[in-house]
Amino acid sequence: MTPSIPVDNPRPSPLARYLLLVYVLLMIYASLHPFSGWRDQGVSAFAYLAGGLPRYITAFDLLTNFAAYLPLGFFALLALHPHLRGTSALTAAGLAGCCLSLALEALQTYLPSRIPSNLDLATNGLGAFAGAGLALGFGVDQLGRGRLHELRHRWILAGHQYDLGLVLLGLWLFTQLTPETLLFGNGDLRWLLEPAPASLHPAEVFIQGEAAVTACNLIAIGLFLSCLTRNEQPLRGMLLALLAGALALKTVAVGELLKAQNVFAWLTPGALLGLAGGALMLILALPLPRVARRALAGLLLMAATVLVNLTPENPYFSNALQLWPQGYFLNFNGVTHLVSLAWPFAALFYLMLLAPRLPKDGAGSAEEL
């Protein structure tokens, strides 16, 4: 039975609030990365406000600062709706972005590796107001009664806990922008452990390791998504779209690392074997009861995380990363690494919290908390 879809959304959107919270945390991390070398440099934290313009200004800098705060303003306005509407919501969302930028630029005064700038503050603020304007123009309608609102209620179970699951899936897509990791491989903690002595490994070790990591993660992600969706919805189409998006992002990340001629370097024999085997096993696992799918997803996430930390590093990607002129992408790469490291553990915790709330198979929705 197709669920009834509300024609409007008079209450705040949990999805918008989760997205705003996650994005603010990522912005804080990116702005203060690498969080080392803090010291008082003998100037006021807000001295940059009265300083001159930076000596070197590039269009890329301006565009990057503007674009970074565009989603922040967008999510902020959606999170404020419907408590604030119209011009009041736009002003509040834009000013919230300006205040965040003001604070982060001030904190950068104490980081020798960062240079606070009044121009950065201005472009960040413009980005926040532009994002809020976009949300006011079409985002609120999509949230309340548009196509996105319809698909959310038609395909995904009702309840804020399932909105949080969608955010986690979005973060999983974001982890694919980490170019040097195994395909779908997250939770790499080897940098915390005593490094293993360098040794040569036959090609079969890399192929088998990447195949296992890819297959386990593919099955786990598919089962994770199936725990959020209504039984009668086109789950396979959603899985194909999610997989296509992940592979497209991985191609972009590897292309940035290894340049255009090697954009498909991630498509190794191990990755191909893992994709094929994982897809076949996922098809066989989808008919399982919802509770069994949740448990299997958790087990496979744990197994995949262990395998990521046992599989030797691919020397090709490691050497390419050392030669990569990261430049403007250094802080962004730090954020992708953080999310990649934390994602499997956050997903496991989420699956444990979700267990008592899962509806029985055949139930169209869960009670919204």
Side-chain angles (χ1 to χ4, degrees), residues 20 23-24 26-32 48 61-77 93-106 108 114 119-134:
L20 176 62
Y23 198 81
V24 167
L26 292 180
M27 287 298 299
I28 293 173
Y29 187 86
S31 298
L32 303 180
Y48 72 92
D61 286 334
L62 299 178
L63 182 61
T64 300
N65 291 329
F66 179 86
Y69 274 73
L70 194 74
L72 180 66
F74 190 91
F75 296 145
L77 189 136
L95 288 178
C98 291
C99 290
L100 178 64
S101 178
L102 178 71
L104 293 178
E105 293 290 329
Q108 287 179 0
R114 307 305 297 268
L119 184 60
D120 288 350
L121 174 62
T123 51
N124 291 342
L126 286 174
F129 273 100
L134 288 174

Side-chain angles (χ1 to χ4, degrees), residues 6 34 72 158 207 343 367:
L72 180 66
I207 294 174
W343 193 87
E367 182 182 359

